[in-house]
């Protein structure tokens, strides 16, 4: 069982930055790739970024590539998402999640993730 708690969301002007954090409980959390997803009102949950269990591989949605950076600290059981040059279309609830299976693959479908945090709201004003 893994429990995830996100923090760091808030209101920011376009062009600004925010750093989201996800704290994971459970000794096995570090064995899994982890991802960030976001969901805008009335829209589906979409992939944002993911990182391998060892932190050596990352993958980003095209819409955030070059602006967002995902990282993890397995000693602290945390995953972070640094978001720069924020745009209004980045607005939504951001969720961190653990990938359903162990291994080297980084997956982008939310169905491949089984443990989810409660989400943190990010609002970017234009």
């Amino acid at each position: 069982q893994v429990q995830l708690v996100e923090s760091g969301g808030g209101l920011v002007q376009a062009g600004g930055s925010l750093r989201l954090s996800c704290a994971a409980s459970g000794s096995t959390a570090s064995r899994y790739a982890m991802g960030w997803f976001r969901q805008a009102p009335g829209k589906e949950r979409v992939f944002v970024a993911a990182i391998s269990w060892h932190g050596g591989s990352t993958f980003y949605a095209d819409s955030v590539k070059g602006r967002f950076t995902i990282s993890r600290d397995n000693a602290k059981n945390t995953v972070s998402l640094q978001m720069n040059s924020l745009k209004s279309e980045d607005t939504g609830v951001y969720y961190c999640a653990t990938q359903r299976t162990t291994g080297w693959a980084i997956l982008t479908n939310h169905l491949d993730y089984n443990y989810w945090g409660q989400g943190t709201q990010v609002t970017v004003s234009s």
Side-chain angles (χ1 to χ4, degrees):
Q1 187 81 10
V2 176
Q3 292 185 325
L4 304 172
V5 178
E6 302 96 335
S7 61
L11 173 63
V12 63
Q13 289 188 333
S17 298
L18 280 175
R19 185 177 181 87
L20 305 183
S21 293
C22 174
S25 65
S27 60
T28 61
S30 61
R31 301 180 189 176
Y32 296 90
M34 295 190 68
W36 286 94
F37 292 76
R38 71 179 173 214
Q39 188 165 20
K43 296 188 177 181
E44 293 185 351
R45 193 169 297 188
V46 297
F47 171 79
V48 174
I51 188 167
S52 60
W53 67 269
H54 51 81
S57 298
T58 57
F59 191 76
Y60 299 91
D62 287 342
S63 60
V64 307
K65 202 171 294 183
R67 300 188 297 122
F68 290 12
T69 302
I70 188 171
S71 60
R72 70 187 298 165
D73 184 339
N74 284 343
K76 297 181 179 179
N77 270 356
T78 59
V79 177
S80 298
L81 185 69
Q82 177 66 43
M83 306 186 295
N84 298 329
S85 302
L86 283 161
K87 305 175 181 179
S88 57
E89 51 263 44
D90 295 320
T91 294
V93 179
Y94 282 70
Y95 300 89
C96 69
T98 55
Q99 199 163 286
R100 190 178 297 275
T101 57
T102 58
W104 297 95
I106 295 178
L107 305 175
T108 62
N109 191 320
H110 70 279
L111 297 176
D112 292 313
Y113 290 75
N114 54 348
Y115 293 110
W116 294 82
Q118 83 289 349
T120 186
Q121 176 71 44
V122 171
T123 303
V124 183
S125 62
S126 55

